[in-house]
């Protein structure tokens, strides 16, 4: 249960009494942590080299392979998603290597900047942040790299800033069509457990994830899955990597898997999250995200008919199942919008990131989410937009209700 702050008066809102009830968390991470996962962590610390903990941890390593759809190795770090970017690169690349990071938005920029800080040379394929990666442009960039200087292609699957999901299979096909040997790495932090992803079947060499999005866990666990080609590249990669080192973490001694004390409670949480996903099945989780996010998209589509708001993602079939990014008209500031939602309607929505700062807000709809949570969020946001006199088309929440009134397929 979240602690409610006293509302702050701004030019755009007015002070209301202390708020009661649950605050809705519709930021695109961290997401709602289910009671089952909170309860799983509510226990004393244990001996991390004892048999009970080792069993739980090993079962997580095993079932994370199921989640990533891989026979490769999974590494668990006590860290956030930014660390997974770094871990993926230091384990497979060497100083001075060139990589290709097709631009998707704030998160491809961030991954590229991390690469630069490690001494890698970064090439990109530019984008306007409103469309998925163009596989033909990537193919062209790879064909132009005749001497194969590019050692890896780094793709953000769902860019959480833009709300756009790119097509992994199309990008893989582009790499193959160019006949290029670069490693293929995918940031699936926002798409894991929300959107289909098949690491081995789609020939992805590295997939990274984090605990606090579709996995419903507290922030603080970064995941990296490595396939055979990535492990091969690891053998000769020279970037420094004490904490991140896959070789040390693949050692037989259990304690080395975490490079020190295991983050036990986050592992208890991960175990319960995996139990929940196995009960639902991945297919079930994907279908639920699809259905709930379609309710959001239908509603936002109606709001846009008022002429002031726009989907950031131009193409409907590229809109993500994890987060919807909505552009605000000039004159309506994101912070005002977020404060109105939070302080007057008890719903937390995300702001714009990178070049969308101040210009967009984001509705997160991933993780532990159901119909009343989605409808409550949409209704509250609709009320906030009305209170701010943003012109919106009417009937947004109604069309979401009508969609959800149909039985799930
Ligand atoms: C959230 C997110 C990140 C960063 O994760 P942190 O835990 O905030 O470091 C990276 N990539 C994507 C796609 C994300 O959604």
């Amino acid at each position: 249960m979240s602690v409610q702050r006293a509302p702050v008066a701004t030019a755009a809102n007015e002070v209301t009494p202390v708020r009661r009830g649950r605050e809705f968390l519709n930021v695109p991470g961290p997401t709602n942590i289910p009671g089952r996962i909170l309860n799983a962590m509510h226990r004393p610390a244990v001996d991390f080299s004892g048999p009970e903990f080792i069993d739980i941890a090993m079962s997580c390593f095993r079932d994370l392979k199921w989640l990533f759809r891989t026979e490769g190795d999974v590494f668990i770090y006590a860290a956030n998603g930014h660390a997974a970017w770094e871990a993926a690169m230091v384990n497979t690349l060497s100083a001075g290597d060139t990589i290709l990071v097709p631009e998707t938005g704030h998160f491809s920029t961030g991954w590229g900047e991390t690469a630069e800080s490690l001494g890698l040379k970064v090439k990109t394929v530019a984008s306007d942040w409103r469309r998925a990666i163009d596989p033909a442009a990537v193919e062209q960039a790879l064909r132009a790299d005749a001497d194969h200087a590019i050692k890896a292609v780094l793709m953000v699957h769902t860019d959480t800033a833009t709300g756009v999901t790119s097509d992994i299979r199309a990008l893989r096909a582009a790499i193959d069509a160019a006949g290029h040997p670069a490693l293929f790495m995918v940031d699936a932090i926002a798409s894991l457990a929300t959107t289909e992803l098949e690491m081995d079947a789609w020939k992805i060499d590295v997939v990274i994830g984090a605990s606090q999005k579709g996995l419903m866990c507290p922030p603080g666990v970064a995941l990296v899955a490595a396939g055979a080609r990535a492990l091969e590249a690891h053998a000769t990669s020279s970037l420094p990597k004490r904490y991140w080192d896959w070789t040390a973490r693949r050692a037989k001694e259990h304690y080395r898997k975490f490079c020190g004390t295991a983050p036990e409670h986050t592992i208890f949480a991960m175990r319960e999250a995996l139990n929940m996903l196995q009960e639902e099945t991945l297919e079930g989780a994907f279908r639920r995200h699809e259905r709930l996010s379609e309710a959001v998209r239908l509603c936002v589509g109606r709001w846009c008919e008022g002429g002031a708001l726009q989907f950031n993602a131009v193409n409907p079939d590229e809109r993500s199942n994890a987060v919807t990014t909505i552009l605000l008209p000039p004159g309506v500031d994101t912070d005002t919008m977020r404060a109105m939602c939070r302080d007057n309607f008890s719903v937390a929505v995300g702001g714009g990131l990178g070049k969308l700062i101040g210009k967009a807000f984001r509705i997160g709809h991933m993780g532990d989410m159901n119909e009343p949570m989605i409808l409550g969020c949409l209704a509250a946001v609709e009320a906030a937009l009305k209170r701010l006199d943003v012109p919106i088309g009417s009937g947004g929440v109604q069309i979401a209700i009508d969609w959800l009134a149909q039985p799930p397929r």
Side-chain angles (χ1 to χ4, degrees):
M1 199 77 56
S2 57
V3 177
Q4 303 267 325
R5 293 185 309 115
V8 179
T10 66
N13 70 7
E14 66 279 4
V15 177
T16 53
V18 168
R19 304 194 62 77
R20 296 288 180 215
R22 194 175 280 256
E23 185 172 283
F24 276 37
L25 186 61
N26 284 91
V27 295
T31 63
N32 296 290
I33 306 176
R36 278 176 66 175
I37 290 180
L38 291 172
N39 289 337
M41 289 187 289
H42 192 90
R43 54 175 297 185
V46 296
D47 172 6
F48 69 79
S49 53
E52 187 199 3
F53 182 74
I54 290 178
D55 272 358
I56 294 173
M58 292 312 285
S59 77
C60 287
F61 283 109
R62 181 193 67 217
D63 293 345
L64 285 166
K65 292 187 186 202
W66 163 81
L67 178 70
F68 282 103
R69 324 305 293 147
T70 187
E71 298 292 321
D73 274 9
V74 176
F75 301 94
I76 303 177
Y77 300 100
N80 67 11
H82 280 68
W85 285 340
E86 186 158 332
M89 296 187 293
V90 296
N91 272 293
T92 52
L93 301 169
S94 299
D97 279 356
T98 300
I99 57 168
L100 181 68
V101 191
E103 187 178 13
T104 55
H106 184 66
F107 289 96
S108 65
T109 305
W111 204 356
E113 286 171 357
T114 306
E116 273 167 2
S117 81
L118 296 170
L120 300 170
K121 296 196 196 88
V122 180
K123 289 194 169 157
T124 189
V125 174
S127 124
D128 64 359
W129 288 31
R130 300 194 65 179
R131 274 158 259 264
I133 297 169
D134 174 7
V138 171
E139 184 182 331
Q140 202 180 1
L142 292 174
R143 281 186 190 279
D145 180 46
D147 57 355
H148 296 165
I150 295 170
K151 297 299 176 216
V153 177
L154 273 46
M155 167 190 182
V156 177
H157 188 198
T158 292
D159 196 302
T160 319
T162 65
V164 175
T165 298
S166 292
D167 186 340
I168 297 176
R169 276 169 289 189
L171 217 65
R172 177 73 254 178
I175 298 170
D176 290 345
H180 201 290
L183 291 173
F184 185 32
M185 305 197 197
V186 175
D187 171 347
I189 293 177
S191 50
L192 211 53
T194 76
T195 308
E196 192 188 7
L197 180 151
E198 291 280 340
M199 177 163 161
D200 289 358
W202 298 356
K203 294 198 295 167
I204 314 170
D205 300 303
V206 176
V207 177
I208 65 171
S211 52
Q212 79 276 20
K213 308 239 170 138
L215 298 187
M216 311 173 283
C217 286
V221 172
L223 303 168
V224 181
R229 289 187 70 227
L231 292 167
E232 212 175 284
H234 171 71
T236 53
S237 87
S238 71
L239 285 173
K241 44 178 157 298
R242 173 75 181 172
Y243 178 73
W244 314 114
D245 193 353
W246 291 347
T247 299
R249 285 169 181 258
R250 294 176 90 201
K252 215 169 101 343
E253 304 83 16
H254 187 266
Y255 72 93
R256 296 184 65 184
K257 294 200 167 9
F258 295 97
C259 191
T261 308
E264 294 182 338
H265 290 76
T266 57
I267 298 299
F268 298 148
M270 185 65 67
R271 181 61 263 161
E272 192 61 22
L274 289 164
N275 293 346
M276 291 175 72
L277 286 168
Q278 288 182 328
E279 285 163 18
E280 186 173 17
T281 75
L282 285 178
E283 192 50 41
F286 301 150
R287 273 203 308 269
R288 175 170 55 84
H289 279 88
E290 173 67 30
R291 185 172 125 87
L292 296 176
S293 58
E294 185 61 16
V296 175
R297 290 187 285 263
L298 287 166
C299 176
V300 172
R302 277 289 165 87
W303 293 345
C304 291
E305 289 170 11
L309 302 178
Q310 279 182 62
F311 280 102
N312 180 62
V314 178
N315 300 321
D317 61 344
E318 296 170 358
R319 292 176 186 152
S320 119
N321 284 343
V323 53
T324 298
T325 301
I326 301 151
L327 300 178
L328 286 162
V332 182
D333 173 66
T334 307
D335 290 343
T336 311
M337 168 67 197
R338 292 182 72 199
M340 177 61 80
C341 288
R342 186 181 55 228
D343 299 339
N344 297 77
F345 295 98
S346 297
V347 57
V349 295
L353 292 176
K355 68 181 184 193
L356 295 176
I357 285 179
K359 297 185 181 139
F361 72 99
R362 296 176 298 147
I363 297 177
H365 33 80
M366 63 184 131
D368 192 45
M369 200 58 75
N370 63 20
E371 288 83 352
M373 292 158 93
I374 284 292
L375 289 172
C377 164
L378 293 173
V381 170
E382 187 167 311
L385 290 165
K386 286 190 171 167
R387 180 93 60 95
L388 289 170
D389 290 323
V390 178
I392 51 171
S394 63
V397 173
Q398 187 61 54
I399 192 173
I401 293 171
D402 294 346
W403 166 255
L404 294 173
Q406 302 173 47
R409 278 172 300 155

